[in-house]
Amino acid sequence: MSALSITNVTKSFGENHILKGISLEAEAGEFIALVGPSGCGKSTLLRIVAGLEGADSGEIVAGGRDLTRLVAAERNVAMVFQSYALYPHLTAGQNIAVPLAMRNLTSMQRLPVIGSLLPGQKAIRTDIMRQVTDMARSLKIDHLLDRKPGQMSGGQRQRVALARAMVRQPGLFLMDEPLSNLDANLRVHARGEIVDLHRRAGVPTLYVTHDQAEALSMADRVAVMMSGNLLQLAAPEVIYDDPAHIEVAKFVGQPRINTIASRVDADGAVTLGTWRLQPHDRLTPGSDITVAIRSEFLSIADLGAPGLPAHIERLEFLGSEVIVYTKLDAIGESMVVKLAPSDARGLVAGKPVTIVPQGERLMVFGADGLRLPADLTFTTQLERAHG
Amino acid sequence: MTNTLSFGRAFRLTLLSLGALIFLAPYIFMISTAGKGQSEIFTSSLSLIPTQFFYLENFAKAFGRVSMGQLLWNGVIVCGLIFVIQVIIAIPCAYAMAKLKFGAARLLMALVMLGLLVPIHATSLPLYVAFDSAALLNSYTALVAPFSISVFAIFLFLQFFRAMPDDLIHAARLDGMSELGIVMRVIVPNAWPAITAFAIFSVVAHWNDLYWPLIVVSNQAYATPPLGLLFFRAAEAGDDYGALMAATLIITLPLVAAFLLAQKRFVEGITMTGLKG
């Protein structure tokens, strides 16, 4: 049985359908990143799992418990917010202690004066303090325990928020863009830390981000969401190399994947400019398709070589690589090529060249955006068009 | 900063000082009169500093003729009760309207706005009749009860709570707090600027209120300070303005002191910049 299963969750605000039936399963200890452009519903899904918002329909089961109708406090989930949401009037130590105090002390024991007179209260408080200090030490924030959130930097607040979420060992861990308020250097560092913490805690985690690099680098599996639909849930390599939907292919990868809209000829082949591509299997003649290929699977050869004639428009030198922006002569489509700097020598804007795709890396998507089966990839051998 | 006074700065300061003087003039004059003897008050010349100091005599008269202690104590009791009850009722109301989703939220909001438009004078007659038939005239209940629900407080706190981040409340819910727990442990500790600001509004209004006590209280034992002054003037002092001003001074002093103490928080609360995270 999976550690978390979300079944057919829908949510709409009036006419606005935010989630259109999301289903998702997470294994024990799995780190799943929910990624997508803003407004795709990923944060709403997270809030529904947390119990902060109600779903219109659907089920959420975690660790064998049906959470769907439980309030947030009873779900045993912890969440790290984008704004960290630390209590501004409490010190870091008190912030981390809150979830423990709410669970381990009775409401009488929590009362300010009367509570301290009740039996057993002292032992529990000592135990809470010990757990808070242990947690703080493991996150290296034990020197900050007496500071208030207003006196801490963004990175420190983020660690306190993590500590508060982890200290009570929740059954499910939710994070809503916890790194987006950090500066770029700190963010890369914090990525590694969160992954480490996740390994140690072994709690299934849903991690919402709009940053595809964050999703690919941190998660065991990535769920790509677009306008209320879950388009693909797979390992990062699969999402990148084998996207199931044209929107997934476009969302993931930098620079963006090259796409050319085309139509299947009467004999089942596809014409790209002066070149015809022959698929292994027949495509439906006359149907609209999109051919896509990532920039690193294109190379640039001299004019006259077998490939697609193009002109270089612009070059971007990025240190370890060079991005070449070109325009295909025959159909006027833009093509972006990523080259190693050594392969880009002698290339200048305006130069006519030939773009050579690696045929087995071409992907074909149907008119509905879905990937056409993998055995429909094209032969490497490109043949010259008639006449 | 160390530069000499520029013309603009001098002009601004003069204008502000002049304004301050105009607003302070009655108070200054009150202090001055409280120290004058009967004969000096009725001379035709106007002097700010008394020629002979009668402060002791006037204050003694003020304390001697009416039970000033009782008046001040009534003022403290009534204003304190009104303020505490108003806050206890208004904070959960404002929290619910600012942060919870429920069907009648819009209707309640409209009612609050409507409530802001109704002055106490419009409802005083039915209230008086009700207190009379309940035999509650001349009691603290009659002085406090009509003001226990303050729509102004709800409105003020509502604005303040709306500015509080939703995530803070979400975090509290996930940490296991009930809605009441959120109000007590998260909202109130962070709402002190608003509560202080409201305290000033509420306490000043009810400490100085003459209208309502005049309607429901005829027994000196329940008189609030302004009503006490009225009794003082009518029954005892007649035209002894020196003693009257001394009494007034005693009555206004607590408010002035309280405002000066809470000044910083008051301004903070009014500008609503108290919450920075």
Side-chain angles (χ1 to χ4, degrees):
Chain A
M1 192 180 58
S2 52
L4 166 70
S5 85
I6 299 169
T7 318
N8 220 4
V9 165
T10 64
K11 175 80 180 172
S12 29
F13 295 106
E15 285 299 290
N16 199 355
H17 302 289
I18 307 292
L19 298 175
K20 302 167 185 163
I22 303 284
S23 296
L24 183 155
E25 307 250 319
E27 303 304 321
E30 200 175 17
F31 192 120
I32 292 187
L34 295 172
V35 69
S38 51
C40 71
K42 55 193 192 301
S43 283
T44 308
L45 181 62
L46 201 71
R47 269 150 216 275
I48 286 174
V49 174
L52 299 172
E53 252 171 77
D56 294 343
S57 67
E59 256 189 359
I60 296 155
V61 178
R65 277 199 319 155
D66 185 356
L67 302 185
T68 321
R69 257 157 285 282
L70 296 181
V71 297
E74 294 167 1
R75 295 194 177 196
N76 194 23
V77 300
M79 186 155 168
V80 178
F81 294 85
Q82 184 175 3
S83 61
Y84 314 135
L86 298 175
Y87 305 116
H89 61 293
L90 299 180
T91 64
Q94 288 167 329
N95 261 291
I96 301 170
V98 166
L100 291 175
M102 296 311 295
R103 272 174 177 70
N104 300 349
L105 293 169
T106 63
S107 53
M108 282 303 280
Q109 286 171 328
R110 285 198 302 266
L111 289 175
V113 182
I114 308 162
S116 57
L117 302 173
L118 292 177
Q121 183 264 0
K122 197 153 187 180
I124 301 174
R125 289 241 180 236
T126 323
D127 184 53
I128 289 175
M129 270 328 288
R130 190 186 49 75
Q131 290 187 54
V132 168
T133 339
D134 286 353
M135 192 73 236
R137 204 166 292 147
S138 76
L139 279 167
K140 302 187 192 72
I141 48 169
D142 39 337
H143 60 294
L144 299 173
L145 287 180
D146 293 327
R147 285 205 214 160
K148 293 207 169 162
Q151 302 162 315
M152 286 186 266
S153 70
Q156 291 169 335
R157 275 184 232 173
Q158 191 251 347
R159 278 153 186 262
V160 175
L162 271 177
R164 181 177 67 176
M166 300 189 67
V167 72
R168 65 178 151 97
Q169 288 147 356
L172 187 59
F173 216 163
L174 308 173
M175 302 200 200
D176 190 3
E177 311 214 9
L179 304 184
S180 61
N181 284 341
L182 301 180
D183 62 57
N185 277 334
L186 208 52
R187 200 179 305 167
V188 173
H189 178 71
R191 266 189 214 168
E193 277 195 340
I194 289 185
V195 171
D196 271 358
L197 285 174
H198 166 76
R199 292 274 139 70
R200 267 189 276 158
V203 176
T205 301
L206 285 185
Y207 183 102
V208 162
T209 176
H210 64 269
D211 181 348
Q212 42 123 346
E214 224 168 73
L216 294 178
S217 63
M218 295 172 77
D220 297 323
R221 283 195 296 162
V222 176
V224 184
M225 289 179 67
M226 265 330 134
S227 56
N229 292 308
L230 177 57
L231 293 184
Q232 191 172 10
L233 171 59
E237 309 84 66
V238 178
I239 293 278
Y240 188 81
D241 291 333
D242 206 6
H245 195 282
I246 183 74
E247 295 297 336
V248 177
K250 280 182 184 172
F251 186 76
V252 173
Q254 196 54 254
R256 211 161 105 135
I257 196 165
N258 295 297
T259 57
I260 298 173
S262 186
R263 176 168 288 173
V264 182
D265 296 342
D267 60 354
V270 176
T271 309
L272 281 187
T274 54
W275 289 87
R276 281 168 63 81
L277 311 170
Q278 194 63 52
H280 289 301
D281 287 306
R282 284 181 64 86
L283 294 166
T284 317
S287 60
D288 287 318
I289 55 162
T290 303
V291 180
I293 187 165
R294 296 212 178 272
S295 55
E296 63 268 36
F297 302 128
L298 294 171
S299 53
I300 289 184
D302 290 334
L303 202 59
L308 305 165
H311 275 81
I312 295 178
E313 292 200 308
R314 193 155 57 86
L315 291 141
E316 266 178 16
F317 177 71
L318 295 178
S320 61
E321 59 204 27
V322 176
I323 312 290
V324 186
Y325 295 85
T326 68
K327 186 160 263 181
L328 295 183
D329 291 341
I331 42 180
E333 292 269 4
S334 297
M335 277 281 180
V336 182
V337 184
K338 193 195 278 184
L339 296 176
S342 56
D343 296 334
R345 243 167 244 143
L347 297 181
V348 286
K351 185 180 177 185
V353 290
T354 300
I355 293 179
V356 184
Q358 293 180 26
E360 74 278 12
R361 292 296 191 165
L362 284 164
M363 293 181 269
V364 184
F365 297 90
D368 54 0
L370 288 176
R371 176 88 175 271
L372 297 177
D375 57 349
L376 282 183
T377 49
F378 292 71
T379 50
T380 30
Q381 193 56 54
L382 306 171
E383 42 181 89
R384 198 170 279 278
H386 320 293
Chain B
M1 289 298 278
T2 48
N3 264 355
T4 48
L5 251 57
S6 68
F7 174 75
R9 199 170 136 80
F11 179 73
R12 272 203 305 276
L13 278 177
T14 316
L15 203 69
L16 286 174
S17 311
L18 213 67
L21 202 65
I22 291 172
F23 282 100
L24 282 176
Y27 199 75
I28 294 170
F29 199 61
M30 182 176 86
I31 297 174
S32 150
T33 311
K36 289 177 181 172
Q38 190 76 335
S39 54
E40 195 188 342
I41 292 173
F42 288 102
T43 54
S44 53
S45 67
L46 199 66
S47 66
L48 204 57
I49 297 164
T51 44
Q52 271 184 298
F53 286 95
F54 276 90
Y55 278 108
L56 272 181
E57 289 83 345
N58 283 336
F59 276 99
K61 271 190 240 168
F63 274 108
R65 293 205 193 148
V66 287
S67 46
M68 200 54 91
Q70 178 71 42
L71 285 186
L72 292 176
W73 177 243
N74 284 346
V76 170
I77 291 266
V78 168
C79 288
L81 276 177
I82 289 178
F83 172 65
V84 169
I85 297 173
Q86 280 176 335
V87 167
I88 288 177
I89 290 177
I91 284 188
C93 279
Y95 168 72
M97 287 171 73
K99 294 296 182 193
L100 303 181
K101 292 177 197 142
F102 55 98
R106 288 181 70 89
L107 178 72
L108 280 181
M109 190 65 210
L111 285 178
V112 166
M113 300 305 272
L114 209 63
L116 280 173
L117 299 176
V118 181
I120 174 76
H121 315 89
T123 52
S124 53
L125 192 61
L127 281 174
Y128 174 80
V129 173
F131 281 119
D132 184 38
S133 52
L136 281 172
L137 293 179
N138 281 316
S139 70
Y140 287 136
T141 316
L143 286 169
V144 171
F147 306 103
S148 53
I149 299 174
S150 163
V151 277
F152 174 68
I154 296 176
F155 186 71
L156 186 88
F157 291 139
L158 184 67
Q159 299 301 319
F160 192 81
F161 295 168
R162 277 203 179 137
M164 280 194 181
D166 280 339
D167 279 353
L168 198 60
I169 286 145
H170 290 158
R173 279 193 198 133
L174 283 169
D175 281 346
M177 291 188 200
S178 63
E179 294 302 313
L180 198 63
I182 293 174
V183 171
M184 306 277 287
R185 289 162 182 280
V186 182
I187 298 288
V188 171
N190 289 303
W192 281 118
I195 295 175
T196 320
F198 174 68
I200 301 263
F201 283 125
S202 168
V203 170
V204 167
H206 295 293
W207 184 272
N208 290 335
D209 185 27
L210 176 62
Y211 178 79
W212 186 249
L214 190 60
I215 290 178
V216 293
V217 170
S218 52
N219 181 348
Q220 266 214 43
Y222 292 103
T224 55
L227 189 61
L229 273 190
L230 207 65
F231 288 142
F232 181 76
R233 201 178 83 118
E236 320 261 352
D239 47 10
D240 188 353
Y241 288 108
L244 187 63
M245 286 302 116
T248 315
L249 199 58
I250 295 167
I251 280 160
T252 46
L253 216 55
L255 277 192
V256 175
F259 179 78
L260 288 180
L261 283 176
Q263 195 187 39
K264 198 171 152 241
R265 286 194 158 215
F266 177 51
V267 174
E268 227 174 44
I270 296 286
T271 51
M272 298 297 176
T273 53
L275 202 80
K276 271 187 181 168

